Amino acid sequence: MKLSPSLLSADFGILRAEARQVEPLAEYFHIDVMDGHFVPNLTIGPPVVNSLRQGLTKPFDIHLMIDYPIQYAPQFEVTQHDMITFHIEAKDEPFRAIDEIRELGCKVGISLRPITPITAVFPYLDLVDLVLVMSVEPGFGGQAFMPAAVERIEKLKNEIGDRNVIISVDGGINVKNVHDVVAAGADLIVAGSAIFKHPDRIAVMRALITAAQ
Ligand code: DX5
Ligand code: ZN
């Protein structure tokens, strides 16, 4: 399993320094972009994300919680190593959103809210690099993990079969529940408050990796 620390729970005033702390054990930096419409919260957008890049080496895992991913995805400066994930419940048609994000040269992820049936993403599995299973209602860090995510991940893993699609999970992950989601099939673990609200970020990342085994 790999870790994608969510910078949402970091100190935004010193974002790059916060990112640097977790970089040694991070596969990606998970960056939550919210528009105040798709979710009732606002975070950061392309100018901040693009200028954060300088001095960091790990790729970005950009989680768009916005109504119009097709309009805003091109404003993120990305390479083939980065991921842009949009929500199936957004207002853009998913097949079109996948194509438009793919055009940018990065990897493409699709995400879904806890209330959306997991089968909703099945038609897109041949076209995406990652499915991001939300284990909280998107919008805020620090919420409690919804255990129903475990069975959803199992179903998804089964449907993915031998396709090369990463399963990621996002929301309320900590040392107590990380084992269950990894055993169910999750490959890329997003964790925000568990990492950044802890004084020793590297120690908690190591603990997550150990607990996952
Ligand atoms: C919530 C975001 C998550 C959030 C996770 O809408 O998508 O990435 O930062 O934070 P924790 O790990 O604290 O639930
Ligand atoms: Zn997220």
Side-chain angles (χ1 to χ4, degrees):
M1 123 323 187
K2 308 281 186 195
L3 289 172
S4 190
S6 169
L7 298 179
L8 185 62
S9 292
D11 181 341
F12 276 5
I14 49 165
L15 205 45
R16 188 179 295 126
E18 294 276 82
R20 279 224 179 99
Q21 277 196 18
V22 299
E23 187 155 43
L25 292 180
E27 183 76 1
Y28 289 93
F29 295 112
H30 185 88
I31 301 173
D32 292 296
V33 174
M34 307 185 190
D35 65 356
H37 293 272
F38 184 77
V39 289
N41 195 10
L42 284 165
T43 54
I44 55 173
V48 175
V49 175
N50 293 339
S51 66
L52 180 65
R53 184 78 71 165
Q54 242 179 0
L56 298 176
T57 56
K58 295 293 171 73
F60 286 7
D61 165 24
I62 301 171
H63 179 191
L64 299 180
M65 285 161 276
I66 66 176
D67 274 341
Y68 297 103
I70 292 175
Q71 183 181 348
Y72 292 102
Q75 296 183 20
F76 294 94
E77 292 160 8
V78 287
T79 74
Q80 58 185 346
H81 304 295
D82 300 306
M83 176 87 62
I84 295 183
T85 296
F86 71 98
H87 267 262
I88 193 169
E89 306 89 353
K91 298 205 187 293
D92 289 327
E93 201 285 310
F95 282 111
R96 270 201 61 214
I98 291 168
D99 282 353
E100 297 284 335
I101 295 170
R102 185 72 69 198
E103 278 288 292
L104 305 174
C106 63
K107 299 178 196 175
V108 184
I110 190 166
S111 185
L112 74 176
R113 295 178 183 273
I115 51 154
T116 303
I118 193 72
T119 52
V121 298
F122 290 178
Y124 309 100
L125 294 178
D126 287 327
L127 300 169
V128 297
D129 298 292
L130 170 145
V131 178
L132 179 62
V133 177
M134 293 305 300
S135 41
V136 297
E137 180 59 21
F140 300 90
Q143 303 180 76
F145 175 76
M146 298 166 81
V150 174
E151 207 186 310
R152 287 158 63 77
I153 292 166
E154 279 169 3
K155 273 192 191 159
L156 175 62
K157 175 89 180 164
N158 188 47
E159 185 70 17
I160 287 173
D162 56 11
R163 290 182 184 94
N164 199 12
V165 177
I166 297 166
I167 300 179
S168 187
V169 58
D170 183 7
I173 303 292
N174 56 40
V175 287
K176 293 192 192 113
N177 55 32
V178 70
H179 179 83
D180 291 351
V181 294
V182 171
D187 312 290
L188 185 66
I189 305 301
V190 178
S193 50
I195 294 172
F196 285 100
K197 300 300 177 200
H198 193 283
D200 188 343
R201 281 78 186 265
I202 288 292
V204 75
M205 290 170 85
R206 284 212 184 95
L208 284 165
I209 293 165
T210 305
Q213 287 163 359

